[in-house]
Amino acid sequence: MTIKEIQDNIIKLKKERDICILAHSYQAREILEVADFTGDSYKLSVDASKTDNKTIIMCGVRFMAETCKILSPDKTVYLANPIAGCSMADQMDKQLISQVKEKFPDYTVVAYINTTSDLKTVCDVCVTSSSAVKICKKIENNNILFIPDCNLGAYVAKQVPEKNFKLLSGGCPIHACVNKEDVIKAKETHPKALLLVHPECTPEVVKYADYVGSTSGIMEFAKNSDAKEFIIGTEISIAEHLQYMYPEKSFYYLSLKLICPNMKSTTLMDLYNCVIGKGGEEIILDDKTITDAKRCIDEMIRLG
Ligand code: 13P
Ligand code: SF4
């Protein structure tokens, strides 16, 4: 089958089988084209909670599929490719955070959504890169324990100076690889370009940015800006999508180190196999995990 034929089959079958396809912005173009909803992790979690379809297929990473299951426990939720984890989400577990909480009992535990559902059960509120600043400002407590990403945490702490932040040393190994030298080189090569970065990048990179935001935030900024050239400091797929969508502008990678093997692992064929019932993994979570993890996701939606 050609790519077009696979896509046509997916579109036909998803209607027949009452399937909603969600695709994170880092997914390949041929997957985004057949999805019902695309966007950053915040948008997808809200879209997932509103859909009426019986079945949801997540083309993204495991924590995103788990978030869908928590928000829609009566639906059947699949992760299109079971190996698509997130290196950051796997860094911290419930036991570790429970111990840290004992040391800081008067802190509100704010968990980046890039965490496992099990870890979310001991956290107070979730945030995504696009909602973290807004939610941290709204939290009544002035003491915030921000996990697991110390780079996003440092960025939020800077925007919310009135609060005390405690950070742990976790983060995205892909975004953390980019350094000041990469920024200087990219800016020297493209002196007229604006630098747009994801807050998972280190503070030494974020410092140089003209705009800092989520994957959707970066795409919106590039769309609305009058500038003609942009250096994109997040997974390379975003520069590729932007170049395709806005051919009159020029988009450059901040670094070729920004390739997420987890996000790249899902193919159109994985999605097709999942749609026909011969692939993917159904997300199964026990009732207690769903109830306990849902509290902090609901809190995110309420405050966000
Ligand atoms: P967004 O919240 O911007 O979608 O980011 C998710 C992610 O995994 C970034 O690496
Ligand atoms: Fe996880 Fe980093 Fe990949 Fe995002 S880019 S999914 S944080 S490993």
Side-chain angles (χ1 to χ4, degrees), residues 26 61 63 85-88 114 172-175 200 260 262-263:
Y26 286 162
V61 293
F63 76 82
C86 165
S87 321
M88 163 152 39
N114 298 37
C172 168
I174 318 296
H175 285 80
E200 287 175 14
C260 173
N262 295 300
M263 283 286 182

Side-chain angles (χ1 to χ4, degrees), residues 24-26 39-44 61 63-64 86 88 112-114 127-131 149 152 172 174-175 198-200 213-218 234-235 238 260 263:
H24 186 266
S25 330
Y26 286 162
D40 64 12
S41 47
Y42 182 74
K43 182 175 175 296
L44 291 185
V61 293
F63 76 82
M64 297 177 180
C86 165
M88 163 152 39
Y112 191 21
I113 200 159
N114 298 37
V127 294
T128 66
S129 54
S130 59
S131 61
D149 187 353
L152 176 63
C172 168
I174 318 296
H175 285 80
H198 198 281
E200 287 175 14
S214 72
T215 50
S216 295
I218 289 174
T234 191
E235 218 281 338
I238 300 298
C260 173
M263 283 286 182

